[in-house]
Amino acid sequence: MSSLPRGCETRYRGLIVSPGVAIGRIFVLKEKDVLESISESKSSDVDKETKLLNEASLIVKKRLEDLKRILPKAEREIIDAQLLMLDSLVSEAEELIRDMSFSAPFAVKKVYEKYSEMLKSGSELFALRSQDLHDISARLASSIIGAAKTDVDWRDRILVAEEIDPIRFLEAVEDGLAGLVTRRGGLTAHVSILARLKGVPYLISQEVDLNSLRNDVTAVLDCVNGYLAVDISPTLIDNY
């Protein structure tokens, strides 16, 4: 396959995480960090904020348990750790709501910031836990404020993003996602494990420029030779 003709296409090389080849239309996922958008706020209705927090917690917990059911047995302890993290996050956020009258989203952000600082200076394992903490906190906050996720028809799409959380990835896979490219990640990250489990070609490439890629452009994600090719010729597609 390495001898395939190369036209005027652009190739972004990277680390193969999950092998395979996908041909599909690019979708660049550029979403703002919901935690960064939350500003300090208080509420006089503590019971209402507590209810919002706990209802959102149930939604996130269900998605984590759904994720746990499809993972190999050896990987399920990862989700158990995330569920414990969620419980602690909700418990401490509820305390802040009752003691400081914080709104539910801001209470979640404050707890996230507290533990995020503690995890930043740790080992690679702590770095993974930090990502877990961010993913869970962001999803919890989004559920509280009703932040709408990007509504995309994922069939035959190649998703390109800075990074993606495991639950969002699984939702896209369930809707027919063809391939994944992220700028950040690791071979042992949860999304990487899921991509291999689901047989979705996945490439990590710091060469990818999210601002230069255009949605709906047909591309080849070659996770045999290790690149994403855009602006490809019909000949290249035929050869694949």
Side-chain angles (χ1 to χ4, degrees):
M1 193 170 291
S2 60
S3 62
L4 286 173
R6 181 174 181 178
C8 60
E9 80 273 0
T10 301
R11 294 188 181 186
Y12 301 97
R13 295 201 167 272
L15 174 69
I16 297 170
V17 179
S18 178
V21 173
I23 299 174
R25 292 174 300 134
I26 290 285
F27 184 85
V28 181
L29 184 66
K30 291 190 286 188
E31 293 183 323
K32 293 182 179 179
D33 187 338
V34 67
L35 295 172
E36 291 182 1
S37 68
I38 296 172
S39 56
E40 182 173 351
S41 59
K42 294 193 175 185
S43 172
S44 59
D45 194 339
V46 170
D47 289 337
K48 176 186 175 183
E49 297 301 318
T50 301
K51 182 180 179 182
L52 288 171
L53 175 68
N54 286 299
E55 287 177 347
S57 173
L58 290 175
I59 293 170
V60 177
K61 186 175 183 179
K62 182 180 184 303
R63 293 304 289 155
L64 286 171
E65 288 173 341
D66 290 344
L67 181 58
K68 180 180 175 180
R69 277 193 287 273
I70 70 166
L71 281 172
K73 188 174 182 181
E75 307 296 343
R76 291 176 190 168
E77 63 185 35
I78 295 171
I79 304 302
D80 288 333
Q82 290 184 325
L83 286 166
L84 288 173
M85 191 179 287
L86 175 64
D87 287 341
S88 298
L89 181 66
V90 171
S91 178
E92 291 201 33
E94 187 168 342
E95 285 183 23
L96 286 177
I97 292 171
R98 296 197 177 281
D99 295 344
M100 305 294 293
S101 297
F102 286 153
S103 68
F106 186 66
V108 170
K109 179 178 181 176
K110 291 295 287 183
V111 178
Y112 163 72
E113 289 176 339
K114 170 186 172 182
Y115 286 105
S116 179
E117 286 301 317
M118 295 168 58
L119 291 169
K120 279 179 181 176
S121 58
S123 64
E124 183 181 350
L125 177 61
F126 280 113
L128 288 173
R129 296 287 79 80
S130 179
Q131 185 60 49
D132 288 342
L133 178 64
H134 179 274
D135 291 346
I136 292 169
S137 300
R139 187 161 281 269
L140 184 60
S142 294
S143 295
I144 294 169
I145 64 181
K149 66 180 183 179
T150 306
D151 188 16
V152 181
D153 180 358
W154 291 113
R155 284 175 296 177
D156 301 321
R157 289 277 195 174
I158 296 174
L159 169 59
V160 184
E162 188 70 28
E163 59 188 347
I164 187 170
D165 74 75
I167 296 175
R168 168 61 70 85
F169 172 69
L170 273 183
E171 289 170 345
V173 171
E174 288 170 0
D175 290 339
L177 183 70
L180 174 66
V181 180
T182 62
R183 284 180 46 80
R184 294 194 289 175
L187 290 172
T188 59
H190 303 156
V191 169
S192 301
I193 293 168
L194 288 168
R196 291 191 289 269
L197 179 66
K198 291 292 188 178
V200 176
Y202 176 22
L203 187 76
I204 296 174
S205 173
Q206 293 186 350
E207 292 184 4
V208 170
D209 181 355
L210 301 183
N211 293 318
S212 68
L213 288 175
R214 305 187 310 279
N215 285 342
D216 296 318
V217 172
T218 301
V220 170
L221 176 58
D222 184 337
C223 288
V224 175
N225 294 299
Y227 61 79
L228 172 71
V230 297
D231 296 322
I232 51 181
S233 67
T235 301
L236 183 65
I237 295 176
D238 289 342
N239 281 323
Y240 271 98

Coordinates of all heavy atoms in Angstrom, one line a residue, residues 41-47 49-50 53 90-103 106-107 111 114:
S41 N -21.1 31.9 40.2 CA -22.5 32.3 40.4 C -23.1 31.6 41.6 O -22.6 30.5 42.0 CB -23.3 31.9 39.1 OG -23.3 30.5 38.9
K42 N -24.0 32.3 42.2 CA -24.7 31.7 43.4 C -26.2 31.6 43.2 O -26.7 32.3 42.3 CB -24.3 32.6 44.6 CG -22.8 32.5 45.0 CD -22.6 33.1 46.4 CE -21.1 32.9 46.8 NZ -20.9 33.4 48.1
S43 N -26.8 30.9 44.1 CA -28.2 30.7 44.0 C -28.9 30.7 45.4 O -28.3 30.1 46.3 CB -28.6 29.4 43.3 OG -29.9 29.1 43.3
S44 N -30.0 31.3 45.4 CA -30.7 31.3 46.7 C -31.5 30.0 46.9 O -32.0 29.7 48.1 CB -31.7 32.5 46.8 OG -32.6 32.5 45.7
D45 N -31.7 29.3 45.9 CA -32.5 28.0 45.9 C -31.5 26.8 46.0 O -31.2 26.2 44.9 CB -33.4 27.9 44.7 CG -34.5 26.8 44.9 OD1 -34.3 25.9 45.8 OD2 -35.5 26.9 44.2
V46 N -31.0 26.5 47.2 CA -30.1 25.4 47.3 C -30.6 24.1 46.9 O -30.0 23.3 46.3 CB -29.6 25.4 48.8 CG1 -28.8 24.1 49.1 CG2 -28.8 26.6 49.1
D47 N -31.9 23.8 47.3 CA -32.5 22.6 47.0 C -32.6 22.3 45.5 O -32.4 21.2 45.0 CB -33.9 22.5 47.6 CG -33.9 22.3 49.1 OD1 -32.8 21.9 49.6 OD2 -34.9 22.7 49.8
E49 N -30.6 23.6 43.2 CA -29.3 23.4 42.6 C -28.8 21.9 42.9 O -28.2 21.3 42.1 CB -28.3 24.4 43.2 CG -28.6 25.8 42.8 CD -28.6 26.0 41.3 OE1 -27.7 25.5 40.6 OE2 -29.5 26.8 40.8
T50 N -29.1 21.5 44.1 CA -28.8 20.1 44.5 C -29.5 19.1 43.7 O -28.9 18.1 43.3 CB -29.1 19.9 46.0 OG1 -28.5 20.9 46.8 CG2 -28.7 18.5 46.5
L53 N -27.9 19.0 40.3 CA -26.6 18.2 40.4 C -26.9 16.7 40.4 O -26.2 16.0 39.6 CB -25.9 18.7 41.6 CG -24.6 17.9 41.9 CD1 -23.5 18.2 40.9 CD2 -24.1 18.2 43.3
V90 N -19.6 14.7 42.9 CA -20.9 15.1 43.2 C -21.1 15.4 44.7 O -21.7 16.4 45.1 CB -21.9 14.0 42.8 CG1 -23.3 14.4 43.3 CG2 -22.0 13.9 41.3
S91 N -20.5 14.6 45.6 CA -20.5 14.8 47.0 C -19.9 16.1 47.4 O -20.5 16.9 48.2 CB -19.8 13.6 47.7 OG -19.9 13.8 49.1
E92 N -18.7 16.4 46.9 CA -18.1 17.7 47.3 C -18.8 18.9 46.7 O -18.8 19.9 47.3 CB -16.6 17.6 46.9 CG -15.8 16.6 47.7 CD -14.3 17.0 47.7 OE1 -13.9 18.1 47.6 OE2 -13.5 16.0 47.7
A93 N -19.3 18.7 45.5 CA -20.0 19.8 44.8 C -21.3 20.1 45.6 O -21.7 21.3 45.8 CB -20.4 19.5 43.4
E94 N -22.0 19.1 46.1 CA -23.2 19.3 46.9 C -22.9 20.1 48.2 O -23.6 20.9 48.6 CB -23.8 18.0 47.2 CG -25.2 18.1 47.9 CD -26.0 16.8 48.0 OE1 -25.6 15.9 47.2 OE2 -26.9 16.7 48.8
E95 N -21.7 19.7 48.8 CA -21.3 20.5 50.0 C -21.1 21.9 49.7 O -21.5 22.8 50.5 CB -20.0 19.9 50.6 CG -20.1 18.5 51.3 CD -18.8 18.0 51.9 OE1 -17.9 18.9 52.1 OE2 -18.7 16.8 52.1
L96 N -20.5 22.2 48.6 CA -20.2 23.6 48.2 C -21.6 24.4 47.9 O -21.7 25.6 48.3 CB -19.4 23.7 47.0 CG -17.9 23.4 47.2 CD1 -17.1 23.5 45.8 CD2 -17.2 24.4 48.1
I97 N -22.5 23.7 47.4 CA -23.8 24.3 47.1 C -24.5 24.6 48.4 O -25.0 25.7 48.6 CB -24.7 23.3 46.3 CG1 -24.2 23.1 44.9 CG2 -26.2 23.8 46.3 CD1 -24.9 22.1 44.1
R98 N -24.4 23.7 49.4 CA -25.1 23.9 50.7 C -24.3 24.9 51.6 O -24.9 25.7 52.3 CB -25.3 22.6 51.4 CG -26.2 21.6 50.7 CD -26.7 20.5 51.5 NE -27.6 19.7 50.8 CZ -28.9 19.9 50.5 NH1 -29.4 21.1 51.0 NH2 -29.7 19.1 49.9
D99 N -23.0 24.9 51.5 CA -22.2 25.8 52.4 C -22.0 27.1 51.8 O -21.9 28.1 52.6 CB -20.8 25.1 52.7 CG -21.0 23.8 53.5 OD1 -22.0 23.6 54.1 OD2 -20.0 23.0 53.5
M100 N -21.8 27.2 50.5 CA -21.4 28.5 49.8 C -22.5 29.1 48.9 O -22.4 30.1 48.4 CB -20.2 28.3 49.0 CG -19.0 27.7 49.8 SD -18.4 28.8 51.1 CE -17.7 30.1 50.0
S101 N -23.6 28.3 48.8 CA -24.7 28.7 47.9 C -24.3 28.9 46.4 O -24.9 29.7 45.7 CB -25.4 30.1 48.4 OG -25.9 29.9 49.7
F102 N -23.3 28.1 46.1 CA -22.9 28.1 44.7 C -23.9 27.5 43.8 O -24.7 26.6 44.2 CB -21.6 27.4 44.5 CG -20.3 28.1 45.0 CD1 -19.2 27.3 45.4 CD2 -20.3 29.4 45.0 CE1 -18.1 28.0 45.9 CE2 -19.1 30.1 45.5 CZ -18.0 29.4 45.9
S103 N -24.0 27.9 42.5 CA -24.8 27.2 41.6 C -24.2 25.9 41.3 O -23.0 25.7 41.5 CB -24.9 28.0 40.3 OG -23.6 28.0 39.6
F106 N -21.1 25.8 38.8 CA -19.9 26.4 39.4 C -19.3 25.6 40.5 O -18.1 25.5 40.7 CB -20.2 27.8 39.9 CG -19.0 28.6 40.4 CD1 -18.0 28.9 39.5 CD2 -18.8 28.9 41.7 CE1 -16.9 29.6 39.9 CE2 -17.7 29.5 42.1 CZ -16.7 29.9 41.2
A107 N -20.2 24.9 41.3 CA -19.7 24.0 42.3 C -18.9 22.9 41.7 O -17.8 22.5 42.2 CB -20.9 23.4 43.1
V111 N -14.8 22.1 42.3 CA -14.2 20.8 42.7 C -13.2 20.3 41.7 O -12.1 19.8 42.0 CB -15.3 19.7 43.0 CG1 -14.7 18.4 43.4 CG2 -16.3 20.2 44.0
K114 N -9.9 22.1 42.0 CA -9.2 21.7 43.2 C -8.4 20.4 43.0 O -7.1 20.4 43.2 CB -10.2 21.4 44.4 CG -9.6 20.7 45.6 CD -10.7 20.4 46.6 CE -10.1 19.5 47.7 NZ -11.2 19.2 48.7

